[in-house]
Amino acid sequence: MTNNTIPNGSSTIAASMIDLSQYPISDLSNAESRAFADRCRLEYQQTGLCMLPGFIKPAALESMANETAEFSDKAYFCKSSHSAYLDDGDPNANQSDVANRQEQTYVGSVAYDLIPQNSQLKQLYQWDPLKDFIGHVLGKTNFYRFADPFGACSVNVFVEGGEHGWHFDESEYTVTLMLQAPEKGGTFEYVPQIRGQANEKEIVGSILDGDRDGVVELPFTTGTLLIFGGNQTLHRVTRVTGDKARLVPVLCYAEDPTVVNSESVRQLFWGRSGKDAQPTAGG
Ligand SMILES: [Fe+2]
């Protein structure tokens, strides 16, 4: 059995975890399902964000959070500084230039291959209707679960001091599940769709200076599924304090079923080489 084969009964389990009365996503050939997915697509196009609070039903949420907290000790932690553009900066500009200013990030990630095969999270990720719904919201014709053995579906773990500094994502979109809130901090903040504006650098500079104009705070409401256009939108996660980890599964997809992460990305986020790992075969 490959990692992407759904074990017997798991499709039923995945469907039972989702509030399908509020979010009818199980069959896009059904008119009601299609109309709902179309509304989500429109919301994403207009705002760069599609937020589905209460996506995971309360009973399933509690057991999934407990289960995930148990394997969260398998997280690899990465401490780094980076520019808002996650690149090497501009060597011709000075250090105070927006292109070169450094933000701090400290986050752990549990690789996909360390998440138990029978976990609720994997059953959810491997459920085809969820993939099809997300692909529809993003307007993708070809849409597959990500074939990377570590990054297909990983769990971000923010412990005491964990944070993710202001940045634009390299990837076009990010799909996350708000699974467990920390005691304090860990707020997701964003400045909607400023990429490409004539005064983009000016806005980014003022946000890095602490200006709150245009900053939106997204409450961490457990059970929420978030589809987010992270390369158009400046965003961060504020510093977490307290003993309870902020747990956020990241569900990844690709338009090519064979594409995987680079070795440098694998080393950075999971501290391992992918040489011995088997691709999940996408799908
Ligand atoms: Fe991001």
Side-chain angles (χ1 to χ4, degrees):
M1 189 172 74
T2 69
N3 281 350
N4 260 26
T5 305
I6 297 172
N8 281 344
S10 73
S11 59
T12 315
I13 292 168
S16 72
M17 291 160 61
I18 298 168
D19 184 351
L20 292 172
S21 60
Q22 195 181 176
Y23 301 119
I25 64 161
S26 55
D27 179 10
L28 287 187
S29 65
N30 167 288
E32 185 200 5
S33 241
R34 189 83 183 181
F36 172 70
D38 285 345
R39 286 200 299 278
C40 291
R41 166 96 188 112
L42 195 62
E43 183 188 340
Y44 180 78
Q45 284 177 304
Q46 290 175 341
T47 65
L49 185 133
C50 172
M51 187 166 66
L52 307 177
F55 185 76
I56 301 295
K57 292 197 281 197
L61 183 66
E62 190 181 349
S63 62
M64 195 201 276
N66 290 339
E67 188 178 78
T68 306
E70 261 181 43
F71 64 74
S72 65
D73 62 349
K74 298 184 188 312
Y76 174 80
F77 284 85
C78 154
K79 203 168 203 169
S80 65
S81 62
H82 52 83
S83 78
Y85 294 90
L86 302 182
D87 57 16
D88 296 333
D90 181 356
N92 297 316
N94 63 39
Q95 283 307 305
S96 61
D97 190 274
V98 166
N100 291 329
R101 290 177 60 175
Q102 296 293 296
E103 288 283 295
Q104 306 304 313
T105 287
Y106 173 49
V107 63
S109 178
V110 182
Y112 186 64
D113 67 342
L114 299 180
I115 298 174
Q117 180 60 26
N118 61 356
S119 63
Q120 292 172 86
L121 177 57
K122 267 198 174 166
Q123 289 172 19
L124 181 74
Y125 179 63
Q126 291 172 351
W127 191 50
D128 282 343
L130 177 61
K131 167 181 70 70
D132 295 341
F133 166 72
I134 292 168
H136 187 89
V137 174
L138 294 168
K140 304 297 182 190
T141 309
N142 299 311
F143 200 65
Y144 305 92
R145 281 181 287 271
F146 191 27
D148 192 83
F150 304 159
C153 174
S154 56
V155 179
N156 279 350
V157 180
F158 293 78
V159 296
E160 167 89 31
E163 62 184 328
H164 200 160
W166 286 113
H167 65 285
F168 294 98
D169 288 339
E170 287 176 319
S171 54
E172 176 192 338
Y173 54 83
T174 302
V175 182
T176 54
L177 181 64
M178 297 184 194
L179 189 55
Q180 179 175 283
E183 281 161 22
K184 213 169 167 195
T187 304
F188 184 83
E189 297 183 342
Y190 66 104
V191 189
Q193 295 177 302
I194 59 171
R195 202 85 188 251
Q197 285 190 22
N199 58 345
E200 174 192 320
K201 292 273 164 72
E202 207 178 300
I203 298 171
V204 174
S206 67
I207 298 294
L208 297 183
D209 283 339
D211 189 350
R212 302 292 293 171
D213 273 1
V215 175
V216 181
E217 288 185 18
L218 203 66
F220 194 106
T221 315
T222 53
T224 298
L225 184 80
L226 180 66
I227 305 171
F228 176 70
N231 72 349
Q232 298 301 308
T233 300
L234 188 69
H235 57 283
R236 75 164 175 178
V237 176
T238 64
R239 185 171 295 186
V240 163
T241 53
D243 292 336
K244 198 172 171 192
R246 178 185 191 270
L247 298 177
V248 178
V250 183
L251 288 66
C252 289
Y253 302 90
E255 291 173 74
D256 177 341
T258 62
V259 72
V260 291
N261 280 320
S262 66
E263 280 302 308
S264 59
V265 165
R266 288 170 172 174
Q267 287 291 348
L268 178 67
F269 291 114
W270 300 289
R272 287 192 285 152
S273 162
K275 285 195 182 78
D276 303 323
Q278 292 299 311
T280 66

